Amino acid sequence: EEIDPSGAISESFEAATESVAGSTRADFLKKFAVGASGIAIAGALASPAGALAQNTSGTNSTKQDIDILNYALTLEYLEQAFYVQAVNAKKLNRTNAHFAKVVASHETAHVKALLATIPKLGGKPVAKPKFNFRGSNGTDKTFLATSLALEETGVAAYLGQVTRVYNDAVLKAAGSIVTIEARHAAWVRTILGLNPAPKAFDGTRTINGTLAVVKGTKFIVG
């Protein structure tokens, strides 16, 4: 309730667990979820550099690619911070701690890659926002629920920008990241006892489409 006073995030998260509706696992996730499809986008929406391209009309291809990369960078900042904090807190059980450690290293690598790529296109990387996860990565239950939401959001976020990328190298880089985000989602689903691949196709989420969902989150604090 503190993180999502409007209920928009919880409603979106329920859609993510729709394929296992009625199961005790799904009920567990809905009860403890403090994240949802769209939370990861909050970082980009709150980016101090205004990285998001809400409207592509009149935008040259290089600038749009830079905007998309900064959008992805803020998403990766959020995920990196979430997992690094979880690892450093040392409150997770052995299985979850191992998952957090591996994924933290992946997200750190993604951040470094994006930080190196954006200047090559003539852009300036956005500053890393300040985060407060409000205990969502401090217990096994809330960690897993939020992790699933973040990873599935990451997949939808990257897929939502595929048709907007002009540079082939940028598209290739984004493609190599989105597959890893999908592996993360499958991994945490497996830990939770959920079907790791519940659907034949993954959905996408536009930037504007997530705006209403993320207004209630308080993960971004500066």
Side-chain angles (χ1 to χ4, degrees), residues 26-58:
D27 292 338
F28 159 79
L29 287 172
K30 292 173 185 177
K31 180 178 180 180
F32 289 101
V34 294
S37 297
I39 276 188
I41 313 303
L45 294 172
S47 168
L52 303 187
Q54 295 292 335
N55 190 332
T56 63
S57 61

Side-chain angles (χ1 to χ4, degrees), residues 9-215:
I9 290 174
S10 297
E11 181 179 348
S12 182
F13 185 82
E14 288 183 12
T17 57
E18 191 174 45
S19 60
V20 288
S23 72
T24 55
R25 287 291 187 181
D27 292 338
F28 159 79
L29 287 172
K30 292 173 185 177
K31 180 178 180 180
F32 289 101
V34 294
S37 297
I39 276 188
I41 313 303
L45 294 172
S47 168
L52 303 187
Q54 295 292 335
N55 190 332
T56 63
S57 61
T59 304
N60 66 60
S61 59
T62 300
K63 180 181 183 302
Q64 182 159 301
D65 282 354
I66 292 171
D67 288 339
I68 292 171
L69 288 175
N70 269 322
Y71 169 65
L73 175 59
T74 312
L75 168 62
E76 298 297 339
Y77 277 146
L78 175 64
E79 293 183 324
Q80 178 196 38
F82 176 80
Y83 289 108
V84 169
Q85 287 183 22
V87 171
N88 292 340
K90 298 180 179 180
K91 294 182 179 179
L92 304 178
N93 67 32
R94 184 174 180 178
T95 296
N96 297 335
H98 174 64
F99 169 75
K101 183 177 181 179
V102 173
V103 178
S105 69
H106 291 172
E107 306 301 359
T108 298
H110 293 169
V111 167
K112 290 181 178 179
L114 291 169
L115 286 173
T117 301
I118 293 170
K120 293 179 180 178
L121 294 178
K124 180 181 179 180
V126 295
K128 184 176 182 178
K130 294 180 181 179
F131 303 106
N132 184 344
F133 296 104
R134 305 178 186 280
S136 62
N137 52 4
T139 70
D140 290 298
K141 292 179 179 180
T142 56
F143 168 77
L144 291 175
T146 308
S147 174
L148 177 59
L150 293 181
E151 296 302 335
E152 295 201 336
T153 294
V155 174
Y158 274 98
L159 288 179
Q161 300 305 308
V162 167
T163 59
R164 302 180 63 238
V165 176
Y166 284 84
N167 187 291
D168 287 343
V170 173
L171 184 60
K172 182 178 180 180
S176 67
I177 292 177
V178 71
T179 56
I180 300 304
E181 299 295 343
R183 292 172 192 265
H184 294 167
W187 189 355
V188 71
R189 277 184 166 274
T190 299
I191 294 174
L192 284 164
L194 300 174
N195 184 344
K199 299 176 292 184
F201 301 95
D202 275 322
T204 64
R205 186 175 286 277
T206 65
I207 296 170
N208 287 331
T210 62
L211 183 58
V213 176
V214 302
K215 282 183 177 179

